[in-house]
């Protein structure tokens, strides 16, 4: 079975690969991404919620791969003391073409300037899956934690190096991918997807 993932983000793909590895190793699953399409024009992520944006991405890929298994997820960081920002704007927080580094720098700067005492935050993942019959399945996941005062660590992507998961003292980027894939928002959603895929012949 082929599963088409609506992403070009290598960090996300690596996480999908690690969690879906049992099925991949058994030869039952092959992952494909937007990079495997000859031409593809990604839709604008104009939704007001993670679910809206995940649906926009899933439907857009389904339009060019009808009948295939499709998965799209939208995810981001919601900081309590900033009314849930950067939220759906996480990827473009510091501007339309901002790098992960620029996004993190902006977040730390604003939180520093506001002298926010409440540094609680959550990573949120909303996933939309279309099976080969076109039926929609929704999965989600959340990882609670706090925002560090400075970056630390090298693994992962996005805001991993400024996010300290609940109960830990190090950032996700210091704790490493094996740790992240046991607890992360995306891991929780992908685990549910794995269960669904296992039920299918
Ligand atoms: P998306 O690709 O439109 O869903 O944007 C997701 C953005 O949210 C990423 O570019 C990151 O900035 C942030 N993000 C989502 N998941 C993670 C994660 O697991 N670690 C760190 N940052 C993340």
């Amino acid at each position: 079975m082929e599963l088409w993932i609506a992403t070009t983000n290598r960090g996300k793909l690596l996480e999908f690969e690690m969690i879906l590895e049992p099925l991949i190793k058994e030869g039952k699953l092959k992952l494909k991404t937007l990079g495997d399409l000859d031409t593809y024009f990604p839709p604008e992520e104009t939704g007001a919620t993670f679910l809206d944006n995940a649906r926009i991405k899933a439907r857009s890929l389904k339009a060019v791969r009808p009948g295939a298994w499709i998965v799209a997820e939208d995810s981001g960081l919601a900081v309590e003391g900033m009314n849930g920002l950067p939220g759906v704007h996480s990827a473009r927080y510091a501007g339309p073409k901002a790098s992960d580094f620029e996004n993190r720098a902006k977040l730390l700067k604003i939180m520093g300037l506001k002298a926010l005492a409440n540094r609680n935050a959550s990573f949120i993942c909303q996933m939309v899956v279309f099976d080969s019959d076109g039926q929609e399945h929704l999965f989600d996941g959340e990882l609670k934690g706090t925002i560090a005062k400075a970056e630390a660590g090298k693994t992962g992507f996005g805001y991993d190096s400024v996010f300290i998961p609940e109960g830990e003292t190090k950032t996700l980027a210091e704790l490493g991918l094996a740790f992240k894939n046991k607890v992360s928002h995306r891991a929780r959603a992908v685990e549910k997807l794995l269960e669904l895929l296992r039920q299918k012949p």
Side-chain angles (χ1 to χ4, degrees), residues 103-162:
N103 288 330
R104 292 192 299 268
K106 178 174 176 185
L107 180 69
L108 292 182
K109 189 174 168 192
I110 291 183
M111 292 184 73
L113 288 172
K114 289 181 182 248
L116 281 184
N118 179 0
R119 300 184 75 88
N120 292 342
S122 282
F123 273 128
I124 298 186
C125 171
Q126 180 68 59
M127 181 178 282
V128 174
V129 176
F130 285 115
D131 64 26
S132 50
D133 298 323
Q135 193 186 335
E136 186 188 76
H137 306 262
L138 303 181
F139 302 122
D140 57 14
E142 179 177 1
L143 174 62
K144 292 187 175 170
T146 54
I147 302 299
K149 292 252 166 76
E151 295 208 12
K154 294 260 179 276
T155 66
F157 68 96
Y159 299 89
D160 282 351
S161 56
V162 296

Side-chain angles (χ1 to χ4, degrees), residues 6-9 11-12 15 45 50 53 57 73-77 86-93 98-100 103-104 123-126 143 156-161 163 172 180 184-187:
T7 193
T8 53
N9 180 325
K12 284 187 182 181
E15 293 177 18
E45 295 177 30
F50 292 115
N53 281 337
K57 289 188 262 191
E73 60 88 59
D74 200 57
S75 47
L77 179 69
V88 291
H89 307 293
S90 293
R92 300 165 297 278
Y93 187 46
S99 66
D100 285 348
N103 288 330
R104 292 192 299 268
F123 273 128
I124 298 186
C125 171
Q126 180 68 59
L143 174 62
F157 68 96
Y159 299 89
D160 282 351
S161 56
F163 187 91
L172 266 183
K180 182 179 179 187
S184 87
H185 50 311
R186 188 169 307 97

Side-chain angles (χ1 to χ4, degrees), residues 2 53 83 153:
E2 277 185 359
N53 281 337
N83 293 323

